[in-house]
Amino acid sequence: MAERLLDSINSPADLKKLSTDKLPILAQEIREVIIKTVASSGGHLASSLGAVELIIGLHYCLNTPEDIIIWDVGHQAYAHKILTGRKDRFDTLRKQGGLSGFPNKYESEYDVFTTGHGSTSISTALGIASARDLENKNYKVVAVIGDASLGGGMALEALNHAGHLHKNMLVILNDNEMSISKSVGALSKYLNRIITAPVYNKIRKDVEGLLSRVPRFGFSVIRSARRLEEGLKNLLVPGMLFEELGFRYFGPIDGNDVVMVTNTLKNIIELNKPILLHVLTKKGKGYSFAEKGPEKFHGVASFNVDTGEKVAIAKDIVPEEGFTKAFGNKIIEIAREDKKIVAITAAMPEGTGLDKFADLFPDRFFDAGMAEQHAVGFAAGLGKAGFKPVVAIYSTFLQRSYDQIFHDVCLQNLNVIFMLDRAGLVGEDGPTHHGAFDMSYIRNLPNIVSIAPRDEEELKNMLSWAVSYDKGPVAIRYPRGASYASAPGSKNSLPINYGKGEILKEGRDVTMVSIGYMSNIALEAASFLLKDRIDAEVINARFIKPIDIELIAKSVLKTGRLFTIEEGALSGGFGSGVLELIIDKIKKDTIIKNIALPDKFIEHGDRQALLDKYGLSSKKITEAVKKEWQK
Ligand SMILES: Cc1ncc(C[n+]2csc(CCOP(=O)(O)OP(=O)(O)O)c2C)c(N)n1
């Protein structure tokens, strides 16, 4: 096989040895590596393919890692990993012990900041640029942010502050007109107007030509280019938003033309001021299936490169996203009857299962954009005005909205329902995406009820119950990828009743109190324990708040041993809540153990393997109970 250019590149210094005319070939080689790897490991394909030329251009023109790049979300940075000494380990992407799917400061000095959540990069970059100036240093700072992430409150707050501080920094707006699905919002319309303004575009092309032809242009050229562009934009670009915010705006340029990107970067990088470079990229670039269906290829599981089809999962593995679909179907059923139901997502209609609802009830569906804080405040307004808002946001992203949950929903005691998908370990996306903390951050707020279903049937019943409950907010949490349509024994379940748990299996030796899907795992553990003649009572707590402490205490008084089991952080979580309330209701010599996620950020890897590692598989739970039993 002919030697690839990529074979000789082990660092950005090697990249700089290439002449610019070689860069398109390198981009193609990097794409091939990304497609091949993601087809096997799964990951964020479409965004990473779109950003290849931009990443080559940045490492070609900057002096990394002294010059600093902050990636927003970080899901687009695969080419950055490949160019910064990690190409030989790239096949370990997202695997346990392997490379992270996101920038990770513990993985490489080139990953300055560990990221995974959106809209953070401009704030971080501005902070670093300010520190640099305080120390009279002169490295460069660049934030790379997507058009959807730019709509998040934090990014807009940062732009506002940056224009005021007037720091030397470069913000690259990587605009592919897509979030996971189509970008929404007035800002996205504004960007689209910049791109499509016909007269502006024509003259912009002349400016672009000027920028790319002159290898390193002098101040007089900058001045005339600027004057030309300025006059043009004053005439044609409504608002000149970025300029008004204090940034020099350049672009839009074709972000998939690596020579254009490189030449433009070379020219603007030395301008000592806040600059915003608007690059247009194609999400999924270079892989036809991803170009045609960027939503489907935003985050993918393993797929067949030739057909673009998902690799079939073995029959014995429960279908992914069972809870998500169950929610999506049930909310439609309820909304047909109840015209006050409205549904809200923060840029994730498919991921949360609301896409069908959006098609059926376009007037009652709201995509607030990648703006979780606003989504919750907005829901509060709808709730205040008499509607029943159902806000579906992943557990980890709802962290953003903590103050809105507190101030706009709980304090007003509004009937807002939160659907917290991906509550628990998500697997390969790792620490930024695990939903480990929601029980802790919701349980401590007054007025809100927090519940978790053990199977899809129970999720549907809980949703119906939450809609009928009219005394305040309700949060329903459920994990990723693991679900039973109807778990063993669930057909005989009791109806959902405020603050009441249920006994799934009676027993006399130990009490296992579990929440949500973990109740199925606890039942499995109980069946293993029976083989050792340990007769466990298993309680499905159903309510994280208010906890059915009477039911639990009665059982513990009988068995003398209490095990709480939850897929969430130990600190402040469900088990912690049980202890707060049970302490004066049980005997002093009761054996107590909380089985939960430890007080650390859990790494990425296979979900089942991680659950086992952290003691939450039926095998590990059985071992933990036996250990206490033998004491
Ligand atoms: C706070 C937050 N909300 C939601 C997400 C989930 N998410 C990851 S990428 C993405 C879309 C990003 O779109 P954009 O910024 O335009 O980048 P692109 O993928 O198009 O390159 C979303 C919604 C997230 N990572 N962080």
Side-chain angles (χ1 to χ4, degrees):
M1 198 176 82
E3 178 129 315
R4 298 176 308 174
L5 293 175
L6 188 55
D7 295 332
S8 65
I9 294 177
N10 295 309
S11 71
D14 295 331
L15 170 68
K16 288 177 209 277
K17 291 178 197 153
L18 297 181
S19 54
T20 42
D21 60 318
K22 292 279 187 304
L23 299 182
I25 304 166
L26 179 68
Q28 181 56 26
E29 293 176 2
I30 291 176
R31 274 207 170 85
E32 280 163 19
V33 173
I34 293 176
I35 295 168
K36 184 166 162 255
T37 305
V38 179
S40 126
S41 66
H44 288 95
L45 184 67
S47 311
S48 279
L49 289 179
V52 170
E53 285 82 5
L54 180 56
I55 290 170
I56 293 176
L58 279 167
H59 282 294
Y60 197 79
C61 298
L62 293 171
N63 180 29
T64 54
E66 281 75 33
D67 289 342
I68 283 175
I69 309 173
I70 305 291
W71 304 100
D72 209 278
V73 182
H75 63 312
Q76 74 289 65
Y78 291 172
H80 157 81
K81 296 206 175 215
I82 291 171
L83 288 173
T84 53
R86 286 170 276 180
K87 68 171 195 279
D88 296 335
R89 283 185 295 146
F90 196 63
D91 60 349
T92 67
L93 187 73
R94 291 159 51 88
K95 297 190 176 123
Q96 207 153 351
L99 293 184
S100 161
F102 294 91
N104 183 331
K105 63 177 262 193
Y106 302 107
E107 189 179 289
S108 162
E109 59 179 335
Y110 291 92
D111 293 4
V112 177
F113 221 62
T114 301
T115 55
H117 286 204
S119 314
T120 66
S121 62
I122 306 176
S123 301
T124 313
L126 181 61
I128 293 173
S130 301
R132 172 203 59 201
D133 292 355
L134 283 171
E135 293 184 319
N136 291 320
K137 294 186 174 163
N138 61 4
Y139 53 87
K140 306 202 174 348
V141 186
V142 180
V144 180
I145 186 164
D147 51 298
S149 301
L150 188 70
M154 188 174 171
L156 297 172
E157 289 168 35
L159 275 185
N160 184 39
H161 194 198
H164 169 71
L165 290 182
H166 213 73
K167 292 291 167 197
N168 172 16
M169 67 185 281
L170 169 62
V171 173
I172 298 189
L173 168 56
N174 174 15
D175 184 0
N176 52 26
E177 298 185 74
M178 296 289 293
S179 176
I180 293 177
S181 30
K182 195 91 190 122
S183 285
V184 296
L187 186 65
S188 126
K189 282 207 185 103
Y190 169 74
L191 295 176
N192 186 267
R193 272 205 302 278
I194 298 180
I195 300 165
T196 50
V199 186
Y200 174 64
N201 255 2
K202 150 111 193 47
I203 309 178
R204 176 182 50 80
K205 281 231 152 45
D206 299 344
V207 176
E208 264 182 16
L210 200 68
L211 292 175
S212 60
R213 266 199 307 277
V214 187
R216 209 169 186 91
F217 54 83
F219 278 110
S220 65
V221 182
I222 296 176
R223 264 199 303 274
S224 28
R226 183 174 175 175
R227 237 180 282 130
L228 176 62
E229 209 191 342
E230 203 96 60
L232 197 61
K233 280 192 294 186
N234 271 327
L235 201 67
L236 293 160
V237 180
M240 281 178 58
L241 184 64
F242 302 110
E243 297 261 343
E244 295 297 337
L245 282 168
F247 280 80
R248 259 306 277 123
Y249 171 88
F250 283 91
I253 63 161
D254 180 352
N256 291 124
D257 176 342
V258 71
V259 177
M260 164 67 71
V261 169
T262 310
N263 285 340
T264 306
L265 281 172
K266 267 191 213 154
N267 285 328
I268 62 174
I269 208 82
E270 298 298 341
L271 300 175
N272 194 14
K273 52 179 65 168
I275 296 168
L276 187 135
L277 174 64
H278 187 179
V279 304
L280 306 180
T281 57
K282 175 114 192 113
K283 199 156 176 169
K285 175 83 180 171
Y287 182 55
S288 64
F289 298 108
E291 284 194 20
K292 276 183 224 134
E295 302 95 332
K296 220 174 115 199
F297 283 89
H298 177 87
V300 278
S302 311
F303 64 93
N304 179 318
V305 176
D306 298 329
T307 63
E309 294 297 325
K310 230 182 183 184
V311 173
I313 44 173
K315 277 210 183 67
D316 55 339
I317 299 176
V318 281
E320 277 228 344
E321 272 127 41
F323 277 122
T324 309
K325 282 202 184 117
F327 159 63
N329 293 334
K330 186 68 185 176
I331 191 68
I332 288 172
E333 192 188 309
I334 297 175
R336 283 194 210 283
E337 300 297 315
D338 187 341
K339 306 284 181 242
K340 291 288 185 194
I341 295 285
V342 286
I344 297 148
T345 178
M348 308 192 67
E350 289 88 10
T352 55
L354 280 175
D355 45 342
K356 274 199 212 142
F357 183 102
D359 291 342
L360 289 170
F361 308 103
D363 295 345
R364 289 197 271 154
F365 169 77
F366 299 95
D367 183 347
M370 228 167 129
E372 290 79 7
Q373 305 172 44
H374 157 67
V376 173
F378 174 71
L382 282 157
K384 178 70 198 164
F387 280 80
K388 289 184 199 161
V390 178
V391 188
I393 296 180
Y394 290 1
S395 163
T396 186
F397 302 138
L398 192 66
Q399 285 161 196
R400 276 284 157 90
S401 322
Y402 190 59
D403 190 59
Q404 286 71 22
I405 301 173
F406 152 73
H407 178 274
D408 302 336
V409 176
C410 290
L411 187 61
Q412 325 289 336
N413 201 24
L414 294 169
N415 297 322
V416 173
I417 298 170
F418 295 99
M419 302 302 291
L420 281 73
D421 203 327
R422 310 303 200 264
L425 296 182
V426 293
E428 289 78 4
D429 280 341
T432 52
H433 283 58
H434 293 314
F437 307 109
D438 61 88
M439 287 192 275
S440 321
Y441 74 70
I442 286 192
R443 191 173 74 73
N444 59 3
L445 291 173
N447 288 344
I448 194 164
V449 169
S450 173
I451 48 184
R454 79 174 174 117
D455 62 12
E456 293 167 29
E457 198 60 32
E458 197 165 79
L459 176 117
K460 291 178 190 167
N461 294 339
M462 284 182 169
L463 184 57
S464 299
W465 178 84
V467 168
S468 68
Y469 177 76
D470 59 359
K471 295 184 180 56
V474 178
I476 307 181
R477 80 181 307 262
Y478 39 99
R480 157 170 220 195
S483 84
Y484 283 102
S486 177
S490 90
K491 286 279 174 248
N492 308 321
S493 270
L494 301 170
I496 308 296
N497 204 343
Y498 177 80
K500 295 288 173 218
E502 67 165 355
I503 296 177
L504 296 179
K505 175 192 168 305
E506 295 196 345
R508 60 185 143 63
D509 296 332
V510 296
T511 301
M512 293 161 87
V513 189
S514 46
I515 185 75
Y517 184 77
M518 274 295 135
S519 296
N520 307 314
I521 308 297
L523 264 183
E524 211 171 276
S527 71
F528 296 155
L529 287 165
L530 263 185
K531 291 181 192 144
D532 286 301
R533 295 200 163 71
I534 303 172
D535 186 13
E537 182 145 299
V538 180
I539 295 176
N540 169 18
R542 284 184 166 170
F543 282 72
I544 298 144
K545 180 186 180 143
I547 291 171
D548 191 349
I549 206 66
E550 302 306 327
L551 182 76
I552 299 170
K554 197 169 153 210
S555 174
V556 177
L557 281 174
K558 176 173 71 178
T559 63
R561 292 178 180 82
L562 167 63
F563 293 83
T564 64
I565 303 161
E566 70 199 285
E567 194 180 339
L570 176 69
S571 312
F574 167 72
S576 168
V578 171
L579 296 194
E580 286 161 15
L581 298 171
I582 209 164
I583 203 75
D584 55 358
K585 291 186 166 44
I586 52 176
K587 295 195 193 115
K588 278 209 181 80
D589 60 352
T590 303
I591 289 174
I592 299 175
K593 186 157 178 60
N594 297 124
I595 301 176
L597 296 173
D599 186 19
K600 62 172 263 189
F601 291 110
I602 310 291
E603 69 273 27
H604 67 273
D606 175 74
R607 186 178 128 82
Q608 292 307 330
L610 288 173
L611 284 171
D612 187 66
K613 176 172 176 186
Y614 291 102
L616 286 163
S617 62
S618 53
K619 189 168 146 259
K620 288 288 170 63
I621 293 169
T622 308
E623 281 167 16
V625 173
K626 278 207 307 215
K627 198 166 145 205
E628 296 300 329
W629 179 257
Q630 282 150 8
K631 271 186 187 164

